[in-house]
Amino acid sequence: MRFNLSYRESILTVVCDDGLRDAAFDAMMEARYSVESKISEDPFFGITYDPYPASPGDDELVRRMCDASAVAGVGPMAGVAGAVAVHIAERLVEMGSTYAVVENGGDIAFYSPEPRLVGIFADHPVFRDLAFSVSSDRIIGICSSSRTVGPSVSFGTSSISTVFSDDVILADCCATALGNLVRDEASIQGAVEDIGSRAGVRGCMACCGDKVAMFGDIPEMVPADCSELGPSTR
């Protein structure tokens, strides 16, 4: 089953077993309420670009955002899309879905023991007809940041910066950090080595100009017509 969910800034694509649309929507609203409540109590949480420590009494999802921001060196809201996605995926798995793929603005919480193709929507010709072949018996993160595609805030120049991690929120935060570090073609290799070496990151890649750099454990890439695929990183 594949369906879309949307509410205010959240525009998601969900792939899971049949009959779980309402559960996915409820989980999306729960995640949003957690983050919005935190911002209401502490507005600085919602605007800082620097790591921000959790406060006593914070919801678990907010704590996870703060922990990921500390590793990545970015503000906690850099992980908000991944936080919403993983909360939904966790709920779907708890309810017995045999697979759950949740894409939220280019940030994916992925669970599927069977291989699935994850497309790359990037302003770069190398990835026009390629996709990752991914399978996982636990929820993992495949998250991207771009200066040229989508609404994400990026201080770098990469057309796509993608991070793979067992922690979806960390992947989201580190994708932002990687995008910020890629300032030109000369900086791209050092950027992927920096982010790819951080605790919890399995691998990463970035594109800038005519250069593509990869580091760590990257899923197999295969030829694919990305226009035919479901949830895709972008």
Side-chain angles (χ1 to χ4, degrees):
M1 179 181 187
R2 177 185 176 187
F3 54 88
N4 297 322
L5 294 176
S6 62
Y7 182 79
R8 294 183 179 174
E9 306 91 347
S10 300
I11 303 173
L12 302 92
T13 301
V14 181
V15 180
C16 64
D17 286 346
D18 290 346
L20 294 173
R21 183 188 183 97
D22 288 347
F25 182 83
D26 289 346
M28 176 183 70
M29 298 304 292
E30 288 173 1
R32 287 186 58 96
Y33 178 79
S34 176
V35 175
E36 289 170 358
S37 295
K38 174 63 176 179
I39 294 172
S40 178
E41 297 167 1
D42 182 3
F44 192 66
F45 174 88
I47 61 173
T48 181
Y49 290 144
D50 296 318
Y52 200 63
S55 300
D58 278 345
D59 182 81
E60 179 189 358
L61 198 63
V62 169
R63 288 182 172 277
R64 290 163 68 179
M65 291 170 65
C66 292
D67 291 344
S69 78
V71 175
V74 296
M77 287 297 287
V80 66
V84 174
V86 74
H87 188 72
I88 296 170
E90 288 170 348
R91 176 64 52 80
L92 295 173
V93 173
E94 287 172 5
M95 296 190 70
S97 188
T98 57
Y99 59 97
V101 184
V102 182
E103 186 266 338
N104 186 8
D107 300 304
I108 296 175
F110 181 97
Y111 165 69
S112 175
E114 297 297 321
R116 293 179 181 270
L117 296 182
V118 178
I120 309 160
F121 290 166
D123 185 20
H124 198 285
V126 170
F127 297 104
R128 195 160 293 153
D129 300 306
L130 292 175
F132 296 113
S133 178
V134 187
S135 62
S136 177
D137 59 3
R138 60 185 182 277
I139 298 172
I140 61 172
I142 307 170
C143 298
S144 296
S145 178
S146 175
R147 181 64 181 267
T148 59
V149 180
S152 300
V153 175
S154 178
F155 298 115
T157 60
S158 70
S159 53
I160 195 76
S161 296
T162 301
V163 174
F164 304 86
S165 174
D166 292 340
D167 181 334
V168 181
I169 303 174
L170 178 64
D172 192 3
C173 286
C174 283
T176 297
L178 177 56
N180 290 344
L181 289 175
V182 178
R183 299 305 182 101
D184 51 34
E185 292 186 20
S187 65
I188 190 171
Q189 187 62 43
V192 296
E193 291 177 3
D194 181 343
I195 298 301
S197 299
R198 300 199 186 192
V201 174
R202 292 172 54 182
C204 61
M205 70 168 200
C207 310
C208 183
D210 294 328
K211 289 195 68 175
V212 177
M214 300 183 182
F215 185 87
D217 184 10
I218 304 292
E220 179 187 8
M221 299 182 73
V222 297
D225 179 358
C226 291
S227 66
E228 301 290 329
L229 302 181
S232 300
T233 189
R234 65 188 74 190

